[in-house]
Amino acid sequence: MSNITFNDECVHVVFLGLPNVPGIAAEIFGALSVRSASVSMVTQNTMRGGRSDLSFLIRKERLDEMITVCREISERVGGQGVSFATEIAAITVGLNSPEDSAHTLAKIFKALASVNVNIEIINSTSESAICIVSLTRAREGLEALKKAFA
């Protein structure tokens, strides 16, 4: 069985419409590091018009502080705003074999679809796949994955 973990104490933070130039992410994470913010699942997407979105997860217990900090950072670097999704959960599935990752990912998508759980975001490495799903459906998704990988 794959190692499957569940975290409903996370928030998805998205810096929207950042200038797509070197140094912006360094400034964001530098400012967060000064506040000892713990981040995971960092993703950056380049958009049209020379802008990009940068997202990551933080611990829910730090949300109030991070809202203020992230908004200040976004304004300072010329971003178009920040969004915070709090009604999410992260389900992580450990991948047993990097060579078989496509099969494992197909199994994850099939298991979650079978209980009508939509994946909001997925991040896969050779070691694990992290699925961000709606908090209202997360427990069903967790049980479906446990069953699929039993």
Side-chain angles (χ1 to χ4, degrees):
M1 178 175 164
S2 293
N3 181 31
I4 300 173
T5 61
F6 180 85
N7 178 4
D8 62 355
E9 292 298 319
C10 55
V11 174
H12 183 231
V13 179
V14 183
F15 279 79
L16 302 162
L18 294 168
N20 192 21
V21 296
I24 298 294
E27 187 164 341
I28 290 168
F29 289 107
L32 293 173
S33 73
V34 168
R35 289 156 181 88
S36 301
S38 175
V39 301
S40 61
M41 204 172 125
V42 177
T43 306
Q44 182 172 334
N45 298 310
T46 302
M47 311 303 280
R48 293 185 181 118
R51 295 282 173 171
S52 64
D53 289 346
L54 177 70
S55 69
F56 50 87
L57 300 178
I58 61 169
R59 293 190 320 260
K60 199 173 273 187
E61 67 193 30
R62 302 279 309 268
L63 178 61
D64 290 340
E65 173 192 1
M66 290 296 114
I67 286 174
T68 303
V69 169
C70 290
R71 286 182 176 156
E72 289 171 0
I73 296 167
S74 177
E75 188 174 318
R76 187 171 63 241
V77 300
Q80 296 173 340
V82 185
S83 71
F84 302 87
T86 58
E87 297 300 310
I88 61 157
I91 304 173
T92 303
V93 178
L95 304 181
N96 294 327
S97 170
E99 296 78 26
D100 201 23
S101 59
H103 174 73
T104 303
L105 289 168
K107 200 171 182 178
I108 290 168
F109 285 117
K110 184 177 180 180
L112 292 175
S114 74
V115 292
N116 202 32
V117 173
N118 190 44
I119 297 173
E120 304 292 330
I121 305 163
I122 187 166
N123 184 349
S124 179
T125 69
S126 61
E127 297 173 0
S128 66
I130 304 171
C131 304
I132 305 301
V133 300
S134 169
L135 188 57
T136 59
R137 306 288 309 201
R139 294 283 177 189
E140 291 170 86
L142 176 64
E143 293 309 313
L145 287 167
K146 286 181 177 180
K147 183 177 176 183
F149 286 94

